[in-house]
Amino acid sequence: MACATPGQAQTASSAPDQTQCQTVNADGTCADTTVANSAPTAAQGEAIIVTGSRLKQADITTQPTQTVTGTTLSNRGYTNIGQALTDLPTFGAPGNSAAGPQGSFGAGQTFVNMYDLGAQRTLALVNGNRFVSSGSSSIFGSVQGSPVDLGQIAPDLVDHIDVVSVGGAPIYGSDAIAGTVNVILKKDYQGLSVSGSYGLAEAGDAPDYNVSLLAGTNFDGGRGNVTVNVFYDHQTGLATSARATTDGSKIFNGTDPSGTYTYARFNGGLHYSVFTNTGMPMVEDYLPVTGGSAASAITNASGQALYFSQDGHLIPYNSGTALANGITEAGGDGFAIGDYGNLLANNQRIQGTLLTNYEFSDHLRFHGEFWIGRSKASNISDQPFYNTWLFAGAGDVNGNLILSSDNPFLSAADQQAIKSSLAAAGQPTDTFYLARANTDLATGAFTTTTDLYRGVAGLDGDFSVGSHNFTWEASVNYGRTDSTTDSREVVNQNYYNALDAVTDASGNIVCRPGYTNAAIATFSSNCAPLDIFGYKNESQAAIDYITAPARTKQVDTQLDIIADVKGDVVHLPGGDVQFVLGYEHRRESQSFDPGAFYLGELQSDGSYQQYGNSTHIAPVSGSYTTNEGFGELTIPLVSPDMNVSFIHSLQLHGAARYTDNSVAGGSWSYTGGATFSPIRDITFRGNYTQSFRSPSITELFAPTSGVFETANDPCDARYIDSGPNPTQRAANCAAAGLPADFQSNIVDYTAKGTSGGNPGLQNELAKSWTAGAVIAPRFLPGLQISSDYVSINITNEIASPGVTSLLNACYDSTNYPNAPACSTFTRDSTGQITNFEDSYANIALENFRALQSSLDYTLPLERLGLPESAGALKLSANWLHTYRHYYKVGSDDVTHVLNNLADPKDAVQGNIDWATKHFDWLWQGTYYGPTQVDPDAGAGTYEYPRISPYWMFNTSVGIKANEHFTLRLMVNNIFDKGIPAPYTSYSSNKYFDALMGRYFRINAKVTF
């Protein structure tokens, strides 16, 4: 893991809480690091739990609700329920998933992200209960909150998943600002089923195989049930080099040397000309090649820059098309950065779940859950650590290497070429400099192993007082996850020892005598000389000497005790007035131990010196408790059997919760809504909610640490014409003494700053409302259409916004230079960013407005005159049209999330399913409307600023041979559709099927 890496200009982030990186890649990423729109309906006389309420009735639907059924999970072949939710239009790119770059210290974890408001603002439940998180509490983790890894829940165990917008905080507490996901498991399952599937990409890679056993039985005359599920899944990962749309030859946006655009579209792949992964020798401590021409490079007689071939011999360097920043090229022999990334993680999961319930009497029941699981996931490729002038002086960590020109691994001819070039440059001939991307010494791979333990035990019962019926429930829920992340990291001191190679009296190449090993143990304590010239020419003994095991540990625990009583208190003509009163006590804790390598070596002044390329990472631990009281009330004013003119039904619903958090203090959340049906065919619904999110352990307690970031400096010539008020920006930059043609280094490679927690953080606050209608016309049975307007306004938002937002908040301000953000960074005399502070603060606000609509229609084909055996046709569609989504840091900086690549204005998913008794065929289509590379970019920034619409089609065919055996074939991306033009950028999660290409899966299931 490098302490700093080069970076190209980035588009605006899609969320205000930018994850910190101890290492930022050249592409700006961290180097470490089918559905109905209504709740299921109850059978006559049966009560079900609706996710938006703790009351057991099926008609509280004041908020938009979507449901993903277990059948959908099976028909589409999902092996991770988080991916099923991510495919819905209402969800943005997840906080982390198995696709794309993996969050540091949490490979393979899946955190869903409703409305793209941040995974930490989507509350996930299982059977209405909270579920322990496995997120890292380090600032370098993928999310700064306590989201649930939905990959820990086996798909075969799921009955359905409810997704309810905005109103969950008064019902369930903190974190439900965007919405609530409630995974409802199968209950009272009886029988035995064994299923297995195998998937493979058309390219012949990324195989996945899994097996699931589900068994259940009733006992004691049906008074009790035990259900057991065991699930195993093995996914083989892919590096970005496996696909043409992600590898080092992909089309990209780069700095335009012609000056026509800030960023133009190039073929040949983005390559860095300032190093290769074989090494580029130099005569002085600078860059070997800039602007396509030799700068400080060792050259041949023709003045052509030389670099090492893979077998370790000097050859001429061929430049591609030099870009305006001077350090990158389109094509050429430079470092092909796109080849070194994670497209899909290796992932192995085994999960076991036991569900049980028992009826002691007609009025007393027990229910319990026991979970145990292990997942092992690997980020299989990432950028290496670099040695380059861009990051440090020669001989310092990440600076150019200083090597002897008599190094015995050099051929005699190469030694002479180096010495001749040094002499011609007027330099001493005994040493030379080397720039290198060390992909053969450190691959960037790491593996996270997570163990889950969780138990739930509860009692519920009922009683009557006169004509009033009451039920009560009490449960204890305890969960714990233990995660370790392992990697192999280079230790600087041993690295330099091994590079200092000499020949002994016997002619053997050895380390120069007199070396001292690093204080941390490496895989071998015996120094072995390192051949750094070329690619993979080093010995295993040298690798073992210079690398050490690095292991971090993360422990998350959750204790949740909850009790409530519910029932009817007043009998009205429209029905019974129902209430819930309850109490909840919750304790959450997180502890992150960076391990010896990442902690570093303790110095006499109490500071820590890093052992390798990663900055010193501090431990993080903390906990908080909450004591919460809550209540709900439902008032049915008019019911259908009252026969009131122009009012078929009218019902009011309200809920409130007071939360006393031991760290953040007390906070109220409340909601109120109503449903109104003038006739039975149409129901109007509306809801207003005030909710909150308490600060997480990371945001509160993380110690201040060094971080590295790139930024789109608003005073850079590439961005001076962007932003909400380019004139104001230009004036402020001029007042700072920066010329109009200023080029900021932080745009192209990282600068070092600090970030950490803030124990003075307050709760985030959100005011949200929804208004909509559900139409189910009698003249067309089986049809339901719903549409709801959703408005979410978050204030006091906790953010570590990133240097781009801090710079924008300063230079876009009408209060420059007195805007608070102007004090968070410093520039040197040349205008370059030399330091910044990007710690957590209640600094942002976020605004979201959208229309969420759905259509569901079931048509038995016998209505069209066909026989009953023809089955039924089921049509469904979900559409999210977003009107507004932006966040602000300070009073003047505005970053538009809407219309970015991962946040189109229009997102639609449609399904056509034809099902008979023995056969079904599902056809699914997904559409994303056109977007922009960066909606905040000024005119002329990008040669192709518009990204084309996106279409994707999947299909699934199932055959039920008999009542015991079914077979299903699934094809994702059936037309092998690629990512949309201009093919210059992508989101690994939202566009994963396009990146992967056509993918086949076959599933077989045996049921007894």
Side-chain angles (χ1 to χ4, degrees):
M1 298 182 185
C3 69
T5 57
Q8 68 174 6
Q10 295 298 300
T11 60
S13 171
S14 63
D17 294 312
Q18 177 175 316
T19 300
Q20 297 289 353
C21 302
Q22 78 254 32
T23 306
V24 178
N25 291 336
D27 59 359
T29 60
C30 293
D32 313 315
T33 72
T34 321
V35 180
N37 192 256
S38 60
T41 57
Q44 183 66 33
E46 178 187 1
I48 65 171
I49 297 176
V50 178
T51 298
S53 172
R54 292 186 181 274
L55 290 168
K56 290 189 175 181
Q57 59 183 53
D59 53 355
I60 301 175
T61 55
T62 64
Q63 305 145 54
T65 303
Q66 294 173 289
T67 298
V68 180
T69 66
T71 301
T72 296
L73 299 177
S74 175
N75 288 353
R76 283 281 286 110
Y78 289 111
T79 62
N80 185 321
I81 65 173
Q83 184 59 48
L85 294 176
T86 297
D87 284 350
L88 294 177
T90 46
F91 286 83
N96 197 68
S97 79
Q102 300 300 289
S104 302
F105 317 128
Q109 297 170 348
T110 301
F111 306 126
V112 295
N113 178 10
M114 194 169 179
Y115 297 132
D116 208 7
L117 291 172
Q120 65 271 42
R121 300 182 184 94
T122 301
L123 176 62
L125 310 169
V126 175
N127 284 341
N129 295 313
R130 286 181 176 263
F131 199 97
V132 65
S133 175
S134 56
S136 172
S137 52
S138 169
I139 62 172
F140 304 114
S142 57
V143 291
Q144 271 67 69
S146 302
V148 175
D149 176 11
L150 294 181
Q152 294 177 318
I153 303 170
D156 203 23
L157 195 60
V158 175
D159 182 82
H160 64 276
I161 307 171
D162 287 340
V163 180
V164 179
S165 300
V166 306
I171 314 300
Y172 304 107
S174 175
D175 303 339
I177 283 178
T180 304
V181 172
N182 191 8
V183 182
I184 308 299
L185 305 180
K186 293 174 180 176
K187 183 181 179 181
D188 293 334
Y189 182 81
Q190 189 162 2
L192 172 67
S193 70
V194 179
S195 62
S197 75
Y198 180 80
L200 187 70
E202 187 175 58
D205 53 20
D208 172 271
Y209 55 88
N210 60 74
V211 62
S212 176
L213 181 147
L214 180 64
T217 184
N218 293 329
F219 62 91
D220 196 10
R223 297 174 65 182
N225 178 269
V226 174
T227 299
V228 176
N229 175 249
V230 179
F231 175 68
Y232 175 79
D233 181 71
H234 180 102
Q235 172 70 67
T236 301
L238 288 178
T240 50
S241 56
R243 293 293 183 270
T245 49
T246 57
D247 69 9
S249 65
K250 71 183 177 83
I251 298 168
F252 69 100
N253 278 321
T255 53
D256 183 6
S258 73
T260 305
Y261 306 98
T262 300
Y263 293 103
R265 182 173 179 264
F266 292 96
N267 293 304
L270 178 67
H271 294 185
Y272 279 82
S273 60
V274 292
F275 40 64
T276 65
N277 66 346
T278 57
M280 300 182 74
M282 292 169 291
V283 298
E284 60 181 347
D285 186 23
Y286 186 52
L287 301 175
V289 173
T290 60
S293 301
S296 295
I298 299 293
T299 59
N300 58 19
S302 302
Q304 189 175 13
L306 300 176
Y307 79 109
F308 287 100
S309 63
Q310 289 201 1
D311 60 0
H313 297 287
L314 288 175
I315 59 175
Y317 176 87
N318 295 311
S319 295
T321 301
L323 306 186
N325 61 16
I327 64 173
T328 58
E329 301 170 344
D333 291 334
F335 183 62
I337 200 167
D339 285 338
Y340 301 93
N342 192 86
L343 180 57
L344 179 64
N346 274 331
N347 206 336
Q348 297 180 63
R349 295 174 288 157
I350 184 166
Q351 298 148 356
T353 307
L354 182 148
L355 309 176
T356 184
N357 61 81
Y358 185 76
E359 185 177 341
F360 293 108
S361 70
D362 291 342
H363 304 289
L364 180 62
R365 294 164 292 275
F366 167 82
H367 63 271
E369 302 175 20
F370 180 72
W371 300 68
I372 186 169
R374 164 167 282 198
S375 62
K376 188 173 184 179
S378 299
N379 186 82
I380 61 175
S381 180
D382 211 330
Q383 292 186 45
F385 74 91
Y386 298 94
N387 288 114
T388 173
W389 173 85
L390 294 173
F391 298 139
D396 292 334
V397 177
N398 292 113
N400 284 325
L401 300 174
I402 304 174
L403 301 174
S404 169
S405 53
D406 291 320
N407 189 295
F409 286 116
L410 291 169
S411 69
D414 288 342
Q415 289 184 14
Q416 184 57 49
I418 290 172
K419 291 178 180 179
S420 297
S421 198
L422 288 165
Q427 300 291 337
T429 60
D430 56 337
T431 60
F432 69 101
Y433 302 88
L434 187 77
R436 197 172 191 269
N438 300 292
T439 58
D440 48 357
L441 307 183
T443 64
F446 61 88
T447 298
T448 299
T449 303
T450 301
D451 293 318
L452 165 70
Y453 313 93
R454 180 176 183 264
V456 181
L459 292 171
D460 66 272
D462 59 80
F463 61 93
S464 299
V465 178
S467 62
H468 301 285
N469 299 315
F470 301 91
T471 62
W472 60 271
E473 183 175 0
S475 65
V476 178
N477 171 6
Y478 178 78
R480 174 183 173 121
T481 56
D482 293 84
S483 300
T484 59
T485 296
D486 294 280
S487 60
R488 187 170 187 144
E489 304 295 337
V490 173
V491 175
N492 291 324
Q493 186 168 338
N494 286 18
Y495 177 45
Y496 296 138
N497 292 343
L499 287 171
D500 193 10
V502 296
T503 303
D504 66 11
S506 300
N508 300 312
I509 301 177
V510 297
C511 299
R512 187 182 299 275
Y515 63 83
T516 300
N517 286 344
I520 191 172
T522 54
F523 287 97
S524 171
S525 59
N526 299 318
C527 186
L530 179 67
D531 185 355
I532 199 71
F533 311 113
Y535 179 68
K536 288 190 174 181
N537 294 322
E538 63 280 345
S539 67
Q540 187 60 48
I543 292 293
D544 289 344
Y545 175 68
I546 69 171
T547 57
R551 166 170 285 196
T552 68
K553 296 182 179 180
Q554 174 73 36
V555 177
D556 296 64
T557 69
Q558 179 186 79
L559 173 66
D560 193 23
I561 303 172
I562 187 167
D564 66 46
V565 60
K566 58 180 72 76
D568 59 86
V569 290
V570 178
H571 303 302
L572 297 179
D576 294 337
V577 175
Q578 297 192 41
F579 79 97
V580 175
L581 288 177
Y583 167 78
E584 184 170 4
H585 173 82
R586 182 163 54 96
R587 183 183 187 274
E588 303 268 1
S589 73
Q590 289 185 304
S591 176
F592 173 78
D593 177 0
F597 178 84
Y598 288 118
L599 182 63
E601 185 177 1
L602 180 63
Q603 305 298 296
S604 59
D605 62 357
S607 65
Y608 286 86
Q609 176 65 45
Q610 65 197 68
Y611 285 116
N613 303 35
S614 170
T615 184
H616 154 67
I617 301 177
V620 183
S621 64
S623 65
Y624 62 84
T625 59
T626 67
N627 289 288
E628 308 178 47
F630 57 88
E632 285 187 68
L633 190 66
T634 296
I635 306 173
L637 297 178
V638 179
S639 66
D641 56 11
M642 292 174 64
N643 297 316
V644 176
S645 299
F646 307 111
I647 304 179
H648 180 69
S649 67
L650 175 62
Q651 180 174 269
L652 306 180
H653 178 249
R657 174 181 290 252
Y658 181 76
T659 301
D660 182 16
N661 185 296
S662 61
V663 176
S667 183
W668 277 99
S669 57
Y670 53 85
T671 185
T675 60
F676 165 59
S677 300
I679 57 176
R680 60 174 280 190
D681 308 71
I682 183 169
T683 298
F684 296 100
R685 60 189 179 189
N687 170 273
Y688 175 83
T689 299
Q690 180 165 301
S691 57
F692 69 96
R693 183 181 78 88
S694 297
S696 69
I697 302 298
T698 307
E699 294 162 334
L700 287 166
F701 302 122
T704 299
S705 298
V707 295
F708 296 84
E709 296 184 25
T710 57
N712 296 345
D713 189 335
C715 294
D716 185 283
R718 288 164 280 189
Y719 301 101
I720 195 74
D721 294 327
S722 300
N725 188 341
T727 301
Q728 182 71 56
R729 175 179 289 192
N732 290 340
C733 291
L738 300 173
D741 61 351
F742 174 65
Q743 184 166 322
S744 181
N745 292 341
I746 199 173
V747 175
D748 297 307
Y749 50 91
T750 56
K752 185 176 182 179
T754 60
S755 181
N758 178 358
L761 290 173
Q762 301 173 344
N763 289 334
E764 296 180 346
L765 302 174
K767 295 181 179 180
S768 310
W769 60 272
T770 67
V774 180
I775 302 172
R778 281 169 286 183
F779 61 83
L780 198 56
L783 174 65
Q784 179 174 289
I785 301 172
S786 68
S787 188
D788 296 88
Y789 186 84
V790 179
S791 171
I792 303 173
N793 188 46
I794 308 172
T795 58
N796 220 38
E797 188 171 85
I798 301 168
S800 172
V803 185
T804 295
S805 289
L806 294 172
L807 291 167
N808 288 346
C810 173
Y811 293 105
D812 290 338
S813 174
T814 56
N815 192 33
Y816 176 86
N818 299 316
C822 295
S823 63
T824 62
F825 59 89
T826 57
R827 294 184 185 271
D828 62 17
S829 59
T830 66
Q832 301 300 335
I833 301 295
T834 57
N835 194 21
F836 59 85
E837 181 182 357
D838 189 17
S839 295
Y840 291 100
N842 294 103
I843 195 173
L845 64 84
E846 190 161 6
N847 191 280
F848 176 85
R849 303 282 189 274
L851 184 69
Q852 180 176 319
S853 304
S854 75
L855 178 148
D856 294 281
Y857 181 49
T858 299
L859 175 65
L861 295 179
E862 62 180 340
R863 291 184 194 168
L864 303 180
L866 298 175
E868 183 180 356
S869 60
L873 194 64
K874 299 180 181 180
L875 309 177
S876 66
N878 288 273
W879 171 42
L880 184 72
H881 177 79
T882 306
Y883 298 99
R884 180 191 305 171
H885 189 182
Y886 66 82
Y887 70 89
K888 296 177 66 174
V889 175
S891 58
D892 298 289
D893 169 54
V894 178
T895 298
H896 291 92
V897 179
L898 177 62
N899 218 20
N900 263 311
L901 180 66
D903 291 272
K905 288 184 178 179
D906 291 288
V908 182
Q909 184 189 79
N911 301 274
I912 303 173
D913 190 3
W914 173 38
T916 70
K917 184 177 180 180
H918 298 289
F919 172 85
D920 72 89
W921 177 27
L922 171 69
W923 184 269
Q924 181 185 79
T926 298
Y927 168 79
Y928 299 148
T931 60
Q932 296 176 341
V933 175
D934 181 358
D936 291 319
T941 300
Y942 292 95
E943 180 182 13
Y944 297 101
R946 182 182 181 273
I947 296 175
S948 300
Y950 168 83
W951 293 91
M952 178 61 57
F953 294 98
N954 309 308
T955 193
S956 170
V957 177
I959 299 173
K960 186 175 182 180
N962 54 51
E963 60 180 310
H964 300 295
F965 181 74
T966 58
L967 188 67
R968 179 170 295 278
L969 173 66
M970 293 148 275
V971 184
N972 288 349
N973 193 359
I974 193 167
F975 296 122
D976 201 20
K977 183 79 171 179
I979 61 176
Y983 309 108
T984 57
S985 56
Y986 60 90
S987 167
S988 299
N989 296 291
K990 294 291 285 186
Y991 297 88
F992 179 74
D993 286 338
L995 297 174
M996 174 62 69
R998 189 180 290 117
Y999 195 91
F1000 301 91
R1001 181 178 296 277
I1002 189 168
N1003 173 272
K1005 185 173 185 177
V1006 180
T1007 304
F1008 301 98

